[in-house]
Amino acid sequence: MGTDLYGYTRQRIVGLWRRGQGEGAEGEAEVLTRLDTLEQAVAALEPEQRAAMVGGVQVPVREILASCVGDDQPEALQELIDALKAQGVETPAVSQQTVTGNFALGSINTAGRDNNFGGAR
């Protein structure tokens, strides 16, 4: 999303929808509207900010793909992944670190960007 390959990807998803649901099946326009809305949100960001948006669009994109591809069609999804890789799409690296069950009797210093602290300290 947010790249020149979006049009290609969108057409491939339309193909998945039509193969899974049938040509002219109801709901195609809604699927494409959801997909286009997500793409517009990502495209509005600066390129260096897009990687941070991956987590925000991952669940809706999974839902869209799940509506296009049935559980009995895993090869269709693999074909899409292979086609995107052939186009040079790189999978973004997203890392997350979770620390639980720690008890501190003093100060804790944490360094890094986008630290989120929850719960009692």
Side-chain angles (χ1 to χ4, degrees):
M1 294 188 154
T3 68
D4 295 335
L5 287 174
Y6 176 70
Y8 173 79
T9 305
R10 186 180 190 273
Q11 285 305 112
R12 293 296 303 243
I13 291 174
V14 167
L16 287 174
W17 172 267
R18 291 177 180 167
R19 184 170 20 162
Q21 304 297 324
E23 186 78 32
E26 190 174 321
E28 181 178 324
E30 290 82 10
V31 166
L32 291 177
T33 299
R34 288 180 64 202
L35 194 61
D36 290 341
T37 300
L38 291 170
E39 198 280 331
Q40 290 168 3
V42 172
L45 297 171
E46 295 296 324
E48 60 274 359
Q49 295 174 326
R50 292 178 185 162
M53 186 71 161
V54 168
V57 299
Q58 193 171 24
V59 171
V61 169
R62 278 187 190 156
E63 291 171 356
I64 291 168
L65 289 173
S67 71
C68 295
V69 179
D71 291 338
D72 59 338
Q73 300 173 312
E75 69 282 346
L77 190 55
Q78 188 61 50
E79 287 173 14
L80 173 63
I81 292 168
D82 293 342
L84 291 174
K85 284 181 179 178
Q87 293 290 324
V89 174
E90 294 182 20
T91 304
V94 178
S95 65
Q96 179 178 344
Q97 180 179 3
T98 303
V99 180
T100 60
N102 290 311
F103 181 73
L105 296 173
S107 297
I108 299 175
N109 295 320
T110 303
R113 264 186 47 136
D114 303 328
N115 290 320
N116 296 311
F117 298 99
R121 289 186 181 173

